Amino acid sequence: MICFLVMAFRVQEVLLQILKMIVTIIRRPPWSSASKKVSGMVESKSVGTLIQLQKKDRPQGLYVDRGVVSPKLGKSFSACSLASGLNFGSTKAMPEAAGAVAAAAVADRLHGSKEDRKLAIVLVGLPARGKTFTAVKLTRYLRWLGHETKHFNVGKYRRLKHGANQSADFFRPDNQEGIEARNEVAALAMEDMIDWMHGGGQVGIFDATNSTRKRRYMLMKMAEGNCKIIFLETICNDRNIIERNVRLKIQQSPDYADQPDYEAGLQDFLERLTNYEKVYEPVQEGSYIKMIDMVKGEGGQLQVNNISGYLPGRIVFFLVNSHLAPRPILLTRHGESLHNVRGRVGGDTVLSEDGELYSKKLANFIEKRLKNEKTATIWTSTLQRTILTATPIVGFPKIQWRALDEINSGVCDGMTYEEIKKIMPEEYESRKKDKLRYRYPRGESYLDVIQRLEPVIIELERQRAPVVVISHQAVLRALYSYFADRPLREVPDMEMPLHTIIEIQMGVTGVEEKRYKLMD
């Protein structure tokens, strides 16, 4: 019996070693071991610093064939600095990347400690530096990818326990009573986050100034054995941006909702800010990410230290491509196609008469709405009904994305739902029970669509000019759910009508939406 157990243990050990080797091979990039070249970046083995390569002009053309690709940090980066605005994507199809992503996630889950499976992103920074906006944005992104994520705002805990009318004196560094009160609510928020993680939560976003080492060490002590902490520090040196954020704070913060005098509120907040500046200590401990002057989306830096793993790598990749510059994103389905008229799934048919009329109305709308936006672009799928819809639009470059193609309906392509119900009743019922996870035979599910749309989301976040996305119902449901921060379970049933434009305005105040119905 003992011999049998020993043999079983050795077999399990060998299997784990084989899995490690497979993951290593999948992760290993096809370049020399002397230096790693990563789409515009080189990692110097001697200093561990990522340096931006000289950018090459992108090839001129309409077709961008981008496969499913997800960024990873294959090793722990120490004191690593990344220039913002870098494009980590690939311009060629990488179908094997989906397997690499899955293998990396499995490896992290198998070999990582229990503590590493739960992640706390702890914000650090002075007031009016964009911490809460960054926290909300990151929460939305991780939820959309399917990670159980929750935003814990310590300011809400403070207002519930001590009221919203605390003056700047409450935040004085020599006010011991105020310090203890603020540490108490921070500990309460941390305890709630840890309890939530024990109940199934995966990523907690802990939103507070956390501006002293003492506070951060308190949080690290509480996290021991429960979750891994990554500090996310937001630093801004642009006085104009800080002044703008201060004005927004006075106008929107619950702390000043009952203050009718704007100037009095402004003076109080500036005193509070001065109190924080007196004791502020930049992060130098533990694992951290520093966002330095990245608000504009250009000229900033992202510094990372001791960051490793699949999910932290995705977070770094998202942050390096994010900025707060306001710009609109317009989403619309293609004009009505012949398959829409016939009630058939998928296909690659041309437009109906109504669809052709919509393409002309859409061109007129775009011409008026974006007449002053010379750098705007039009994105379509590779299917002809979206390309034909975009044809009348002139004056803007057009890019075809394979990732924007409609959900692959596999063997059901070209059938009506009545035909599917009659010929494949079990498939029909399975789809009816769970449209989010249901995968068409030899096709895709909504979750598959979301996975392949991640590069599109990253590119939309990176853009500083307006983008018009002409795509398909399932794809636009998935994209819209990201911007609207809707639960994944709602994605398959979202209303996405034909001949309607959804304008998403992205900016410092959040995401706003407008709808324009061009045809009845």
Side-chain angles (χ1 to χ4, degrees):
M1 183 66 179
I2 294 175
C3 292
F4 176 79
L5 290 174
V6 170
M7 289 177 63
F9 176 78
R10 287 179 176 174
V11 169
Q12 183 181 24
E13 187 176 19
V14 170
L15 288 174
L16 284 174
Q17 291 299 324
I18 292 172
L19 178 59
K20 285 183 180 180
M21 291 172 63
I22 293 172
V23 172
T24 301
I25 293 170
I26 292 174
R27 282 180 165 179
R28 184 177 297 146
W31 43 74
S32 68
S33 59
S35 65
K36 296 183 180 180
K37 188 174 180 180
V38 189
S39 298
M41 307 182 71
V42 163
E43 181 196 344
S44 168
K45 298 291 284 186
S46 59
V47 296
T49 302
L50 295 178
I51 309 163
Q52 188 170 6
L53 293 174
Q54 187 174 9
K55 291 185 178 180
K56 295 181 179 179
D57 293 334
R58 286 187 178 181
Q60 296 297 316
L62 296 179
Y63 180 53
V64 178
D65 183 9
R66 291 181 177 167
V68 178
V69 56
S70 183
K72 309 182 283 296
L73 293 184
K75 57 170 278 186
S76 173
F77 286 94
S78 179
C80 174
S81 177
L82 296 85
S84 69
L86 296 179
N87 184 2
F88 287 70
S90 172
T91 55
K92 68 175 184 177
M94 296 181 64
E96 72 277 13
V101 169
V106 169
D108 281 351
R109 187 173 292 273
L110 279 176
H111 303 299
S113 66
K114 183 178 180 182
E115 178 180 317
D116 288 345
R117 298 175 198 172
K118 306 291 184 179
L119 185 60
I121 305 297
V122 176
L123 275 293
V124 178
L126 292 167
R129 264 57 174 187
K131 294 187 303 300
T132 296
F133 184 83
T134 301
V136 170
K137 201 170 187 178
L138 185 56
T139 301
R140 185 176 73 233
Y141 170 69
L142 293 173
R143 281 177 179 166
W144 184 76
L145 287 178
H147 302 287
E148 193 68 31
T149 308
K150 189 172 181 179
H151 178 202
F152 292 82
N153 186 292
V154 177
K156 291 182 179 179
Y157 283 77
R158 170 177 54 78
R159 285 185 285 271
L160 284 172
K161 190 169 182 63
H162 301 286
N165 300 315
Q166 296 294 336
S167 69
D169 288 341
F170 183 76
F171 303 91
R172 286 201 334 264
D174 59 349
N175 182 347
Q176 192 59 38
E177 186 177 343
I179 292 172
E180 291 175 0
R182 286 184 283 130
N183 284 337
E184 180 187 13
V185 293
L188 286 173
M190 191 68 176
E191 287 172 0
D192 282 355
M193 187 173 72
I194 291 171
D195 288 344
W196 170 77
M197 287 179 173
H198 289 164
Q202 184 182 2
V203 184
I205 311 292
F206 191 85
D207 182 8
T209 54
N210 300 312
S211 54
T212 64
R213 291 191 188 95
K214 187 175 180 180
R215 162 72 73 83
R216 296 193 292 268
Y217 279 121
M218 179 190 82
L219 299 176
M220 291 170 73
K221 187 68 176 177
M222 295 180 69
E224 285 181 2
N226 294 300
C227 62
K228 177 180 180 179
I229 278 187
I230 294 178
F231 293 111
L232 175 55
E233 184 176 15
T234 60
I235 300 170
C236 179
N237 299 305
D238 189 318
R239 300 310 304 179
N240 292 329
I241 292 175
I242 295 172
E243 289 175 6
R244 180 195 66 188
N245 290 348
V246 167
R247 290 195 299 270
L248 289 173
K249 196 81 172 178
I250 304 305
Q251 295 167 1
Q252 300 176 1
S253 173
D255 285 346
Y256 297 97
D258 297 330
Q259 173 57 268
D261 188 341
Y262 173 84
E263 290 300 326
L266 176 61
Q267 186 60 38
D268 180 83
F269 184 79
L270 292 176
E271 290 179 15
R272 181 195 300 190
L273 183 54
T274 300
N275 288 332
Y276 274 110
E277 288 174 338
K278 290 178 181 177
V279 295
Y280 185 76
E281 297 172 301
V283 175
Q284 295 178 328
E285 63 277 358
S287 301
Y288 63 76
I289 304 168
K290 288 177 183 273
M291 299 178 66
I292 304 171
D293 293 327
M294 291 188 63
V295 174
K296 292 182 179 179
E298 53 186 354
Q301 280 190 329
L302 191 83
Q303 295 181 356
V304 297
N305 181 68
N306 194 28
I307 300 295
S308 63
Y310 169 72
L311 188 54
R314 294 182 95 158
I315 291 171
V316 169
F317 183 74
F318 175 75
L319 293 174
V320 82
N321 284 286
S322 297
H323 60 88
L324 308 185
R327 76 280 191 198
I329 294 171
L330 284 70
L331 308 177
T332 182
R333 289 175 67 183
H334 54 79
E336 182 186 64
S337 70
L338 294 182
H339 264 23
N340 289 143
V341 175
R342 298 163 185 159
R344 297 193 175 278
V345 176
D348 191 16
T349 58
V350 297
L351 301 179
S352 68
E353 290 185 7
D354 281 350
E356 291 177 355
L357 177 60
Y358 176 69
S359 69
K360 296 172 184 175
K361 288 181 176 289
L362 176 63
N364 291 332
F365 179 90
I366 297 299
E367 182 182 355
K368 294 176 182 177
R369 176 66 183 83
L370 302 180
K371 62 182 178 181
N372 297 321
E373 302 285 355
K374 302 302 181 184
T375 56
T377 54
I378 313 297
W379 295 1
T380 71
S381 74
T382 64
L383 301 177
Q384 62 176 337
R385 55 189 182 274
T386 64
I387 297 170
L388 292 171
T389 302
T391 298
I393 304 173
V394 296
F396 302 103
K398 299 170 186 174
I399 301 174
Q400 297 173 22
W401 284 72
R402 185 166 61 89
L404 289 174
D405 286 0
E406 179 60 299
I407 187 172
N408 184 349
S409 50
V411 300
C412 299
D413 191 68
M415 299 173 67
T416 66
Y417 287 114
E418 284 300 317
E419 289 171 344
I420 296 172
K421 183 177 181 180
K422 182 178 180 180
I423 299 171
M424 296 181 287
E426 292 182 358
E427 294 295 332
Y428 182 87
E429 290 300 322
S430 294
R431 179 179 179 274
K432 187 177 179 181
K433 289 178 182 177
D434 190 353
K435 287 177 67 177
L436 177 66
R437 293 172 180 80
Y438 171 78
R439 180 179 287 118
Y440 286 100
R442 299 183 185 177
E444 290 181 302
S445 68
Y446 269 94
L447 290 180
D448 295 328
V449 171
I450 288 171
Q451 180 71 24
R452 68 167 153 94
L453 282 175
E454 185 186 7
V456 178
I457 289 296
I458 295 295
E459 194 67 16
L460 286 173
E461 287 287 357
R462 198 176 68 85
Q463 295 294 311
R464 288 185 287 274
V467 178
V468 180
V469 180
I470 304 174
S471 189
H472 309 267
Q473 181 170 248
V475 171
L476 292 178
R477 281 171 170 167
L479 290 178
Y480 176 79
S481 70
Y482 167 77
F483 294 111
D485 195 17
R486 298 278 288 275
L488 290 182
R489 65 178 180 276
E490 297 180 8
V491 171
D493 299 310
M494 287 180 183
E495 185 180 2
M496 201 59 57
L498 284 167
H499 306 159
T500 301
I501 299 167
I502 302 175
E503 180 176 330
I504 305 293
Q505 185 69 45
M506 300 174 66
V508 293
T509 57
V511 177
E512 298 177 356
E513 173 192 332
K514 292 181 182 177
R515 295 202 177 205
Y516 307 91
K517 191 170 182 62
L518 302 190
M519 291 175 59
D520 294 328

